[in-house]
Amino acid sequence: EADIYQTPRYLVIGTGKKITLECSQTMGHDKMYWYQQDPGMELHLIHYSYGVNSTEKGDLSSESTVSRIRTEHFPLTLESARPSHTSQYLCASSEVGSGTKTQYFGPGTRLLVL
Amino acid sequence: DQQVKQNSPSLSVQEGRISILNCDYTNSMFDYFLWYKKYPAEGPTFLISISSIKDKNEDGRFTVFLNKSAKHLSLHIVPSQPGDSAVYFCAASITAGTYKYIFGTGTRLKVLA
């Protein structure tokens, strides 16, 4: 059973507000990821991290930013939310260099920007 | 250009029967494949995976088949249960590298009681 947590689960916010979506995992995984998913669409990778102080942009351009100061924590920040940011945001983690290559997901944050 | 494709957006199956979900990929460098199950408003749950050195992997009611020459994999669920109703995503990765995963668009499975 994977232990990866996301808060909040649901967020409704006005345009222009700054928001931070939290993601934490207790598995000691080095790699962490943020995906964005709209209904009926594939998961799009927007950020990933190989470890502490390492962050990379994903395949889908995003106005969000991330940080990785601690292994277990990978928050995503939107400085100024817009309606186009309305989506589901999924955090995931995986081990590096071990036999298992499975990626485990958190429950997601569903964001609605008015 | 979508590297991982799930061409069937939905599938309905009678309870007790076999569900077969398909996935095609274009990048021959992919060497690890995963299937996830997702309920609305929840994160994907890992189901089963397969390495490119195998052509079959089985876990309980779930079996994944990989046909490398056709760049095709499938997930078989036998017997199907109403609780299996969800969206199923396949994902592919190149493990000797960035550990990034490319996802398909998903297939919505409905198991009818």
Side-chain angles (χ1 to χ4, degrees), chain B:
Chain B
D1 178 38
Q2 216 172 341
Q3 296 187 66
V4 178
K5 299 178 185 178
Q6 294 177 256
N7 292 317
S8 298
S10 64
L11 174 69
S12 292
V13 172
Q14 207 66 35
E15 181 180 7
R17 298 291 189 104
I18 183 171
S19 295
I20 301 175
L21 298 105
N22 295 303
C23 181
D24 297 294
Y25 60 97
T26 58
N27 190 339
S28 57
M29 297 293 291
F30 288 141
D31 60 359
Y32 195 73
F33 305 88
L34 308 93
W35 282 96
Y36 288 86
K37 173 180 176 180
K38 186 179 185 297
Y39 294 116
E42 292 185 15
T45 302
F46 169 72
L47 274 177
I48 193 168
S49 62
I50 188 166
S51 166
S52 60
I53 62 173
K54 294 185 174 182
D55 53 20
K56 177 183 174 181
N57 189 26
E58 194 171 350
D59 184 1
R61 295 186 299 115
F62 302 93
T63 303
V64 56
F65 295 92
L66 175 62
N67 182 334
K68 288 186 288 294
S69 60
K71 296 193 183 70
H72 176 84
L73 65 154
S74 61
L75 174 68
H76 292 210
I77 306 173
V78 182
S80 300
Q81 300 172 353
D84 297 329
S85 298
V87 178
Y88 289 78
F89 290 94
C90 67
S93 70
I94 303 169
T95 54
T98 61
Y99 285 86
K100 288 163 65 175
Y101 300 76
I102 309 298
F103 284 80
T105 53
T107 296
R108 182 177 299 277
L109 174 65
K110 188 170 184 179
V111 180
L112 307 168

Side-chain angles (χ1 to χ4, degrees), chain A residues 9-10 31 33 35 37 41-43 45 48 50 59 88 90 97 101-103 105-107 110, chain B residues 2 32 34 36 38 40-44 46 49 89 95 97-105:
Chain A
R9 293 292 311 277
Y10 304 92
K31 294 220 64 167
Y33 313 77
Y35 291 87
Q37 193 213 2
M41 302 294 289
E42 63 265 50
L43 281 69
L45 181 67
Y48 62 102
Y50 289 106
D59 301 320
Q88 185 179 37
L90 295 160
K101 306 172 187 73
T102 300
Q103 194 177 55
F105 283 85
R110 191 168 289 276
Chain B
Q2 216 172 341
Y32 195 73
L34 308 93
Y36 288 86
K38 186 179 185 297
E42 292 185 15
F46 169 72
S49 62
F89 290 94
T95 54
T98 61
Y99 285 86
K100 288 163 65 175
Y101 300 76
I102 309 298
F103 284 80
T105 53

